[in-house]
Amino acid sequence: MTVIRRLALYVALPLALAVVAGYGWYRLSDTGKRWRYEDKLATYCQGLIPPEESALFTGYDTDEGLPKDVHHGGSDGYEFCVVGNKTLTIALIPESARDDDGARGVFDELRSSRTGTLPMSLGGGWHGYTDLDSTAVVLSCGNKDASVVVHTAGRGRAVAGRTTAELAAATAVRAAEHWNCEAEPGGRIPPTPAEPEEESPFEAKGTCAGIPVRDMDIVHWIKETPTADSSVMESCVLGETKARAEELFQVRAYFGPFAQAWYPGDEPGRDAGRHGSDYLWATAECPGTSARAVFTISSTVYVHEDVDDFARAALKGFAERSAGQRGCTDLKLPG
C-alpha cells in the first residue's frame, strides 16, 4: 500500500507542477496573452471582432481593451461594442427599415456628430466613408434586401485612420458571414486622404461641382472631396471669409443605410420637402437598393439674407450631379 502511495505521489507531483507551469505560461507569456485575448473574442460582441485588426487598439488587453459588449433591440437589433479607443456599431439593416423616432436604435448610432472634416471615400473597393473621427463600412447582401453596416466612432481624441478602416472592414466581413449575407468585400485599403482645404468656388471639380456659385457674392470659398460611387456620404461646404472663415451652407448626400438613417422620419410618403427656413431635402431612386438616396442643404447662422432661391438651385445642381454619377433616377426636389 505504501508503494502505491509513493507511486501516486511521484505521478501527481510532476503533473501538478506541469499544470502550474502551464497556467503560468498561459497567464504571463505573449502567446498565452494572445490566446486569452482570442478566448474572450470568441464570445465578445457575438464573436464579430477580428483578433488581428482589433489588437492594434487593445494591445491584447482583455479588460481595459474590451470593456463593453451590449446587444440592443432583440433578434432584429444591433451590437454595440468598445474596442480600445473605438466604439463599434454592427448591424444587419433591411432596406425597408426606417427610424420610427421611438427608442434609441441603430439609425441614431449611424447619425454620428459631424466633424469639421468632410466624409471621404475609403478606397480599395469598399463602400463606406471616413471623416477622421467616424468610419463606416457597408456590405450589400446579394441574397437578401439588406446590408451589413459597421460604424466606428472615436473615444476621446482618437483619430480614425487606415487602421480604423481596416478594423471596420474585417468586422463587416465577419458579420456578413455571421448573418448569412452574401457580399463582395473590397481589397487593400489605401492610406487615409489628407483633410480637404478651402478652395476657390470657381474651381469645383468634386462634390461641389454643379452648384451655381458665380452669382452668389457671399460665397468666398468651398470645401469638397473627390466624388466616388463607393462613398455612402458626400458633402460640400460653401463659406465666407470676413473677420474669419465661416461656413454658410452645407450640402450633403446619403446613400443606402445612411439614407435610411437621414430620411426625414416625420414626413411619411413625402420624397422632398422643407424643414423651417434653413433646410431643404430631395431624394432619388438608385440602382441596387429600394432605399432612396437623400440630398440636403442647410444654411448656418452666418447667413443674414434671403437665400431661398440660391439654396434651391444649389440643392438641385448638387443632387443632379451626384444622382447622375450613380445612375439614380426619379429625382424629387422640394416644390
Side-chain angles (χ1 to χ4, degrees), residues 169-247:
T171 302
V173 170
R174 291 170 75 97
E177 294 174 353
H178 177 77
W179 284 311
N180 189 32
C181 166
E182 296 177 1
E184 190 70 31
R188 176 72 168 162
I189 296 176
T192 303
E195 182 176 347
E197 298 181 350
E198 296 171 13
E199 300 176 357
S200 165
F202 308 118
E203 297 177 1
K205 52 187 178 296
T207 50
C208 290
I211 297 178
V213 296
R214 291 197 171 276
D215 296 326
M216 198 62 182
D217 293 338
I218 64 173
V219 176
H220 303 150
W221 54 263
I222 62 171
K223 275 188 181 180
E224 64 175 357
T225 63
T227 60
D229 293 354
S230 60
S231 183
V232 295
M233 284 201 284
E234 291 184 345
S235 185
C236 164
V237 174
L238 311 176
E240 68 174 5
T241 303
K242 290 186 177 178
R244 61 182 183 180
E246 300 289 1
E247 295 184 1

Side-chain angles (χ1 to χ4, degrees), residues 236-323:
C236 164
V237 174
L238 311 176
E240 68 174 5
T241 303
K242 290 186 177 178
R244 61 182 183 180
E246 300 289 1
E247 295 184 1
L248 298 175
F249 302 94
Q250 298 159 346
V251 198
R252 300 185 178 91
Y254 305 95
F255 301 91
F258 286 83
Q260 294 168 247
W262 284 97
Y263 196 96
D266 58 349
E267 301 283 353
R270 292 188 62 192
D271 290 329
R274 167 194 288 277
H275 287 293
S277 60
D278 60 356
Y279 185 91
L280 296 168
W281 59 282
T283 65
E285 182 178 335
C286 296
T289 177
S290 61
R292 292 179 68 86
V294 175
F295 309 94
T296 70
I297 184 169
S298 58
S299 56
T300 72
V301 296
Y302 298 101
V303 176
H304 303 296
E305 57 187 82
D306 182 3
V307 293
D308 187 68
D309 288 344
F310 172 74
R312 290 175 182 276
L315 178 62
K316 181 175 183 292
F318 176 82
E320 287 179 342
R321 189 275 310 158
S322 182

Side-chain angles (χ1 to χ4, degrees), residues 68-207:
K68 186 177 182 180
D69 164 18
V70 181
H71 175 81
H72 293 277
S75 59
D76 296 329
Y78 65 96
E79 310 302 321
F80 181 86
C81 312
V82 176
V83 177
N85 61 6
K86 303 294 178 185
T87 61
L88 273 70
T89 299
I90 312 168
L92 178 69
I93 302 179
E95 292 179 0
S96 59
R98 296 292 184 274
D99 191 1
D100 60 5
D101 271 345
R104 186 173 181 84
V106 66
F107 290 132
D108 296 288
E109 303 295 347
L110 299 187
R111 292 193 294 267
S112 58
S113 59
R114 300 187 179 105
T115 68
T117 301
L118 307 189
M120 297 175 285
S121 171
L122 295 176
W126 294 93
H127 287 263
Y129 81 91
T130 182
D131 63 10
L132 304 185
D133 176 68
S134 61
T135 297
V137 169
V138 176
L139 291 178
S140 298
C141 305
N143 58 331
K144 59 183 74 177
D145 294 331
S147 296
V148 166
V149 180
V150 175
H151 178 268
T152 79
R155 304 174 73 200
R157 297 184 178 182
V159 175
R162 182 183 196 171
T163 54
T164 303
E166 290 172 339
L167 171 62
T171 302
V173 170
R174 291 170 75 97
E177 294 174 353
H178 177 77
W179 284 311
N180 189 32
C181 166
E182 296 177 1
E184 190 70 31
R188 176 72 168 162
I189 296 176
T192 303
E195 182 176 347
E197 298 181 350
E198 296 171 13
E199 300 176 357
S200 165
F202 308 118
E203 297 177 1
K205 52 187 178 296
T207 50

